[in-house]
Amino acid sequence: MIQTKNLTKRYGKFTAVDTVNLNIPAGEIYGFLGPNGAGKTSTIMMLLGIVKPTAGEIRLFDEPYSPKRLDLRRRIGVVPEKHPVGMWTWMTAREYLQMFAELFSLQEANKRIDHLMERVGLADVKDKKFSEFSRGMLQKLSIVRALLHDPDILFLDEPISGLDPFGVKQVRDLILEENREGRTIFISSHILSEMEKVCQRVAIIFGGKLMAEDAMGSLLNTLAKDREIHVDLEELPADLAAKVKSLDFVQDAAGEEKTLIVKVPKTGDYRKALSKYLIDQDLVPLSIHEKSLSLEEAFVTINKENINLFAGIGGEK
Amino acid sequence: MNQRAHATTVLAKRRIFETLISPGYYIAQTIGLVLAYLLVAGFVRAIDSSGFNYSLNPAYELIGRSLVGAFGATFVEKLFSEGPFLFTLYIAFLPVLLYLAVSSVFRFGLEKKVGALELLTYGPADGTSYFLAALIKDILMTAIYLVVLLVFLLIAGIANNLILGPSFYYSLIILFFLSITIYAYGIFASSLTDNSASAIAVFLGLLLFFIIIVMGSFTVVSGYVRNLTSVFAWIIKWISPLFYWDLALRVVEVGNWGMYFTGIALLLVLSAVVLFISHLTIKARGVRS
């Protein structure tokens, strides 16, 4: 659906995007992560045809893509990070959406507008001037505008920034629902906890290079240095942590109230062996679970010093 | 209809509606018409037994002296040879011309800066359809105002027993085409710059430059300005819309209609060239500020 080959953007001597190769299949929710200045926006702008690549190739819908391809641009919906403020202030939300519906020559535009406004919870304000909308309402209006023409790909740049928790849930549900209907969704966001909830695959860009790209679970597993098993016990004997440390597969162990925290290597599943050992010690494990690395934790493990260690995790070599 | 033409039509409709519901256009028209009224009334008061004598009216005296100083006595004689209407036409047209041109340049820069232009180009519109829509709006609003001004001056003529001479009508037509080229230069200035302030500065700078060049072709008092502008004029007069305006008005006086229409055609060609360069500039620079 979205493919890039050696996509590069240089501004003078500065390389903002360096030979990035993406291959995003249809129907996927794809997260695009990176710190500020990593090359995220430049990559997205090239994919949208707003910025011309210095080198490389972009293919959308299996066809070569360039800004001239207005026909392909019709199949893309875009939610920018910020809705333009101070423009079209005389329009109501409906008139604003009608303008875009007309640009896309949509049939039965009002029906579609009503349906989408209902879905994002803006049905009551659709005939109000959108210049009076809050940031969150503008963000939802922006999503409605992007979905108006039923695009095959939806690009979302920081889609939940400025939204209250209820708004975040509405947008998250909308993204998941749109994806269930077969839409490919490309999200760029700093709110990693949300990315973790919705994305099936993520890519991490750093210094213009694609450093890692994988399915969410595999990526987290790869980036994790070790794993922690948490065991809740009826009682936690004082010497248990020291005894557990002596086991072959245990790297470290500690007790916290009635929970035993055991660090194990990231390869292999040691829960069964640990349970068996505890039962042999006449202890009753109430629950045993593995604490997984969050995307946020994984993301902060990548920095300038260790970036080369992560290079090649499904991304660039 | 291809996608760019469709997008241009949709955007132009919005821009026209927006102009019609905002006060700016009406304020500029009112200023133009008030100036027209004052100039016609002042002219009538400056007529004595020997005809029009601008020294009889303090305002006209000031205007007359300034114009003689800048363009020479022959120019001023021609300007008032058919009564007040030719001069009034130019003066009353200026507020609307400047309002439309500067507001479009300002708007282009603002929409680029806040990302509105980028938002439009996410869909089937592009930078070119955006500026063509603005141009269509400006052309239509100019035509409406010229008709309003014509009716106003016809009524003023009848009320004061004066007639609108042939030079008035030639100038009215050429002013319309001249304004198209000026709007095209506004788009060009916008395409070169990243924000409203610099776009307006470039646009006004270009206008001033063209005025200085055309002044060089008249008999001006200052030899320094004449020498300076004549050098510029020879080199770059071809890019100035005022050159073609001056050419058309000079030839029509001697009844050369062919050259008059050639002047209009050249204004249109110049507009097309400037718009094409703007199109290329937007393509190269993009729609992001």
Side-chain angles (χ1 to χ4, degrees), chain A residues 70, chain B residues 1-11 124 126 129 132 136:
Chain A
L70 293 180
Chain B
M1 191 186 285
N2 73 26
Q3 285 180 345
R4 181 177 283 154
H6 172 72
T8 303
T9 312
V10 172
L11 296 175
D126 63 0
S129 48
L132 286 177
I136 289 169

Side-chain angles (χ1 to χ4, degrees), chain A residues 149-207:
Chain A
H149 57 293
D150 200 15
D152 294 314
I153 304 174
L154 187 61
F155 281 90
L156 300 149
D157 194 3
E158 301 291 351
I160 52 163
S161 72
L163 296 184
D164 58 25
F166 183 65
V168 169
K169 190 180 177 318
Q170 272 182 323
V171 171
R172 185 199 308 143
D173 292 346
L174 190 73
I175 290 170
L176 293 170
E177 204 178 314
E178 289 298 323
N179 178 248
R180 273 196 293 275
E181 287 175 11
R183 221 179 297 282
T184 306
I185 297 175
F186 185 103
I187 312 177
S188 164
S189 177
H190 286 102
I191 305 174
L192 303 177
S193 54
E194 274 307 314
M195 297 284 269
E196 201 176 344
K197 282 177 191 157
V198 297
C199 295
Q200 292 144 0
R201 211 148 60 97
V202 288
I204 296 174
I205 188 167
F206 195 96

Side-chain angles (χ1 to χ4, degrees), chain A residues 230-237 240-241 244 254-262 274-275 277-279 281-288:
Chain A
H230 290 218
V231 188
D232 294 327
L233 298 159
E234 264 187 351
E235 266 181 70
L236 183 69
L240 183 62
V244 168
E256 264 181 30
E257 293 181 5
K258 289 182 179 177
T259 304
L260 177 70
I261 301 165
V262 183
L274 185 61
S275 300
Y277 174 77
L278 293 172
I279 291 164
Q281 300 293 312
D282 282 336
L283 294 166
V284 181
L286 299 175
S287 71
I288 181 160

Side-chain angles (χ1 to χ4, degrees), chain A residues 23-41:
Chain A
N23 190 358
I24 304 166
E28 190 166 77
I29 304 182
Y30 188 87
F32 199 54
L33 313 178
N36 288 339
K40 274 194 326 269
T41 304

Side-chain angles (χ1 to χ4, degrees), chain B:
Chain B
M1 191 186 285
N2 73 26
Q3 285 180 345
R4 181 177 283 154
H6 172 72
T8 303
T9 312
V10 172
L11 296 175
K13 276 199 297 188
R14 258 67 181 190
R15 292 296 292 269
I16 290 163
F17 181 72
E18 200 172 53
T19 306
L20 290 174
I21 61 164
S22 61
Y25 181 56
Y26 301 104
I27 292 170
Q29 280 206 22
T30 306
I31 292 170
L33 294 178
V34 167
L35 284 172
Y37 169 78
L38 292 174
L39 289 171
V40 174
F43 182 90
V44 172
R45 281 197 290 274
I47 295 175
D48 60 13
S49 55
S50 60
F52 174 61
N53 179 357
Y54 61 76
S55 61
L56 291 175
N57 182 304
Y60 262 100
E61 191 181 9
L62 181 69
I63 293 165
R65 281 182 194 283
S66 307
L67 290 174
V68 168
F71 299 103
T74 318
F75 173 83
V76 177
E77 272 167 33
K78 268 197 280 181
L79 194 62
F80 291 105
S81 62
E82 289 179 1
F85 296 111
L86 189 55
F87 178 63
T88 303
L89 171 68
Y90 288 121
I91 297 299
F93 183 61
L94 266 181
V96 171
L97 174 78
L98 283 177
Y99 167 73
L100 289 172
V102 171
S103 63
S104 286
V105 172
F106 176 81
R107 176 73 182 261
F108 201 147
L110 183 67
E111 294 206 349
K112 208 194 263 189
K113 194 168 175 61
V114 301
L117 185 51
E118 188 180 315
L119 192 69
L120 289 170
T121 58
Y122 290 151
D126 63 0
T128 303
S129 48
Y130 172 86
F131 78 59
L132 286 177
L135 182 69
I136 289 169
K137 181 266 291 178
D138 288 340
I139 291 173
L140 188 73
M141 294 296 114
T142 302
I144 291 171
Y145 178 64
L146 283 175
V147 170
V148 170
L149 187 58
L150 174 65
V151 171
F152 182 84
L153 293 178
L154 276 170
I155 294 168
I158 292 165
N160 293 293
N161 207 22
L162 296 166
I163 57 158
L164 277 60
S167 296
F168 174 88
Y169 291 105
Y170 310 146
S171 296
L172 185 79
I173 293 165
I174 202 116
L175 261 186
F176 174 71
F177 292 99
L178 174 72
S179 66
I180 295 174
T181 318
I182 289 173
Y183 298 141
Y185 269 107
I187 289 164
F188 175 63
S190 306
S191 71
L192 283 180
T193 50
D194 283 337
N195 59 60
S196 299
S198 48
I200 289 173
V202 170
F203 174 63
L204 294 179
L206 278 170
L207 282 190
L208 188 67
F209 191 59
F210 295 146
I211 289 168
I212 291 171
I213 291 171
V214 83
M215 276 170 73
S217 64
F218 292 98
T219 310
V220 287
V221 173
S222 164
Y224 174 73
V225 174
R226 187 171 60 241
N227 290 338
L228 188 72
T229 58
S230 58
V231 173
F232 275 124
W234 271 108
I235 301 168
I236 52 164
K237 65 184 178 184
W238 311 102
I239 63 161
S240 167
L242 296 180
F243 170 71
Y244 301 102
W245 160 79
D246 180 38
L247 173 79
L249 290 182
R250 278 175 198 261
V251 293
V252 80
E253 278 171 21
V254 292
N256 190 342
W257 285 96
M259 276 306 286
Y260 175 75
F261 287 114
T262 305
I264 289 175
L266 288 172
L267 275 174
L268 288 174
V269 169
L270 179 62
S271 306
V273 170
V274 173
L275 289 173
F276 183 66
I277 294 169
S278 307
H279 163 74
L280 296 179
T281 311
I282 289 173
K283 253 179 80 174
R285 288 174 53 89
V287 292
R288 274 170 81 82
S289 155

